Amino acid sequence: MHESFWNQLLATSGVEWLGTLTGITGVWLTIRERAAAWPILIVCYCCYVFIALDAKLYAMMLSQGIFIVISAYGWYEWVAGKSEDGDRLKIAHTPRPKLILAIIVMIAGTAGFGSLLSSYTDSAHAYLDGFATVCAFVAQWMLARKYIETWICWVLSDIIFIGIFMVQGYWMSVFLFFVFICLALRGWRLWKRTITQSSSAALSSQLSALSSQLSALSPQLSALKSPPHPSALTPQPSPLKSPPQPSALLQMKRIVITGAESTGKSTLAKALSDYYAEPCSGEFVRSYVNSHQRELKHSDLEPIATGQLALEDAELEQAQRLIFHDTNILSSMIYAQVYFDTAIKWLNHRFLERDYSLYLLCMPDIPWQADEGQRESPAARDDLHIHFKHQLDRRQLPYVEIHGSKQVRIIQAVRAIDAIL
């Protein structure tokens, strides 16, 4: 088997070698958003017209001709095309209506191609050939429009073609399509990063425009005694406050900044407390760990939960219309379940008695920072985030996901809070 593999590899035709080199180069250039990828890919597809004909993969042969046409279209789109908003074509997610249509085309196309190839040709793998081909059509169209889902479609198609080429003995093509899969996964990661960065940049641009508008309206805003814009967040001394009256307690908004370790909760909580000039209860477990200087045990769970409740109640006396909680007893419940596989019986009852108005779920999209005795690892953070989100969904608690840079997170939080005031 090993000897046969190398014999067939050495016997690889020049056309297949050319298709391999141009294919890898073309895909690598598309990942980098280089328009020069398209003419190189056209050469690759011409090579595979001959390869598919020799392998009796007629749907694949037809597809290569269609790919040449789509590549010409993609070349034009990348040079002069426009996105749905009329701007320069940029990497984006496939709009939902087009994504649904693409899925329907893949299902119907596979059935149609497979039936035709099975009935009227001697295709060696009719339905697999048909599915891989239709999937590749969709992927090529998505690539021409810079839709990130193109990489998912390419992976599906390439996996099928690897199996077909192995049976046919085209080992250089097996190698090529394996490289394609690796490149597609790389493309997905890079394009996903680009989308995230573009979203943050767009939001920052909107915030700058909003800041300019607010500056122009500053006299009117001052007359209305509006709070300062979030971009001007600076700690201000809080005026002396009288304890809230019973009627005010009923209207008090409790905002919980929650999430896994090292997700910027304390930073966001302090910024919001300064901005609204309202109190913020701290995270009791942090001071508890610092004072005990040892690994937590099951017997620590109830003291921590009791301390957290006391912190929340103490700060409540200083609040007027808002109070912020840098985590709350929901965190105690989650950590007890995750690390000790247990539940504090009385704590769920106390939790249900409290009316938390909004949760700000901090996403694990910022660099993880070590904190000995307090934090575990980036992997543990990701796992805990899943538990937090699951509990918020399961309990149907109102929450907003907070992500991005510090300034972006503050703006997102302020918008969410102002919406419930």
Side-chain angles (χ1 to χ4, degrees):
M1 178 66 180
H2 181 74
E3 183 178 353
S4 174
F5 170 81
W6 285 108
N7 288 338
Q8 293 181 36
L9 188 62
L10 292 173
T12 298
S13 67
V15 172
E16 199 172 349
W17 276 107
L18 180 60
T20 298
L21 295 175
T22 54
I24 293 174
T25 303
V27 175
W28 183 81
L29 288 173
T30 59
I31 293 174
R32 297 289 189 278
E33 289 188 88
R34 300 290 190 269
W38 294 106
I40 295 175
L41 287 174
I42 288 174
V43 174
C44 175
Y45 297 141
C46 289
C47 293
Y48 272 86
V49 167
F50 295 100
I51 294 173
L53 177 62
D54 183 58
K56 296 183 179 180
L57 297 173
Y58 302 112
M60 181 183 175
M61 181 182 69
L62 175 63
S63 72
Q64 304 309 304
I66 297 175
F67 284 158
I68 293 173
V69 175
I70 299 178
S71 295
Y73 164 72
W75 196 353
Y76 168 79
E77 286 290 302
W78 282 32
V79 172
K82 303 292 184 182
S83 61
E84 278 72 12
D85 58 8
D87 200 357
R88 181 181 64 84
L89 195 66
K90 56 183 178 293
I91 296 172
H93 285 287
T94 309
R96 180 167 295 182
K98 292 184 178 180
L99 186 60
I100 293 174
L101 179 61
I103 294 173
I104 293 173
V105 168
M106 288 172 63
I107 295 173
T110 298
F113 259 121
S115 179
L116 287 173
L117 293 173
S118 179
S119 301
Y120 299 104
T121 73
D122 59 348
S123 176
H125 309 280
Y127 284 94
L128 285 177
D129 188 6
F131 172 77
T133 300
V134 174
C135 194
F137 281 155
V138 173
Q140 189 75 350
W141 165 73
M142 288 180 171
L143 184 62
R145 294 294 300 168
K146 290 191 179 181
Y147 294 143
I148 190 174
E149 288 75 17
T150 182
W151 303 115
I152 297 175
C153 292
W154 279 125
V155 168
L156 291 174
S157 178
D158 292 344
I159 288 174
I160 299 299
F161 278 129
I162 281 179
I164 293 175
F165 285 134
M166 287 180 69
V167 173
Q168 296 288 336
Y170 288 97
W171 297 106
M172 183 53 64
S173 294
V174 169
F175 168 74
L176 171 63
F177 278 73
F178 174 76
V179 173
F180 280 167
I181 290 175
C182 295
L183 288 173
L185 295 175
R186 173 69 173 169
W188 169 268
R189 288 194 296 270
L190 290 179
W191 283 28
K192 183 70 174 178
R193 185 186 306 167
T194 298
I195 290 176
T196 301
Q197 292 173 346
S198 297
S199 299
S200 297
L203 181 57
S204 296
S205 177
Q206 293 173 4
L207 294 176
S208 297
L210 180 60
S211 179
S212 299
Q213 294 173 8
L214 289 173
S215 297
L217 294 173
S218 58
Q220 295 93 320
L221 292 174
S222 298
L224 292 173
K225 297 183 179 180
S226 297
H229 188 263
S231 62
L233 280 173
T234 53
Q236 299 293 334
S238 300
L240 294 175
K241 300 178 180 180
S242 58
Q245 299 301 313
S247 59
L249 286 174
L250 295 177
Q251 301 178 359
M252 183 77 65
K253 302 296 184 183
R254 289 176 159 223
I255 312 299
V256 181
I257 297 85
T258 192
E261 62 183 44
S262 191
T263 52
K265 299 186 298 297
S266 297
T267 300
L268 179 61
K270 183 180 185 305
L272 294 174
S273 177
D274 291 339
Y275 171 52
Y276 286 100
E278 294 281 13
C280 175
S281 65
E283 186 178 12
F284 181 77
V285 67
R286 174 171 289 276
S287 59
Y288 188 91
V289 171
N290 288 338
S291 64
H292 286 71
Q293 292 295 311
R294 60 168 172 77
E295 186 175 343
L296 294 180
K297 300 180 294 185
H298 185 279
S299 59
D300 295 316
L301 294 178
E302 293 206 18
I304 291 173
T306 302
Q308 185 64 43
L309 288 169
L311 277 183
E312 294 180 21
D313 293 341
E315 293 297 336
L316 185 62
E317 298 179 359
Q318 305 300 319
Q320 292 297 308
R321 58 173 183 161
L322 282 172
I323 181 170
F324 297 97
H325 301 299
D326 181 3
T327 74
N328 68 340
I329 54 175
L330 179 63
S331 297
S332 300
M333 297 162 65
I334 292 174
Y335 278 93
Q337 183 64 47
V338 172
Y339 287 102
F340 297 96
D341 193 24
T342 189
I344 306 173
K345 295 180 180 179
W346 58 267
L347 189 56
N348 186 65
H349 178 69
R350 294 291 299 274
F351 175 77
L352 294 175
E353 289 179 341
R354 295 176 176 242
D355 183 20
Y356 297 104
S357 308
L358 177 66
Y359 286 81
L360 303 177
L361 177 60
C362 294
M363 304 292 286
D365 61 344
I366 60 176
W368 184 84
Q369 296 182 355
D371 189 351
E372 186 176 356
Q374 300 283 352
R375 296 169 181 169
E376 188 173 348
S377 68
R381 177 178 71 167
D382 294 340
D383 182 60
L384 278 170
H385 174 75
I386 295 174
H387 284 283
F388 273 92
K389 184 172 174 58
H390 170 71
Q391 285 295 326
L392 292 171
D393 289 331
R394 186 178 72 83
R395 295 174 178 272
Q396 297 183 335
L397 301 174
Y399 74 94
V400 173
E401 294 182 341
I402 304 298
H403 55 81
S405 65
K406 177 182 176 181
Q407 182 185 14
V408 171
R409 285 172 172 239
I410 294 171
I411 296 299
Q412 292 172 345
V414 168
R415 286 177 174 176
I417 294 168
D418 286 349
I420 65 172
L421 290 180

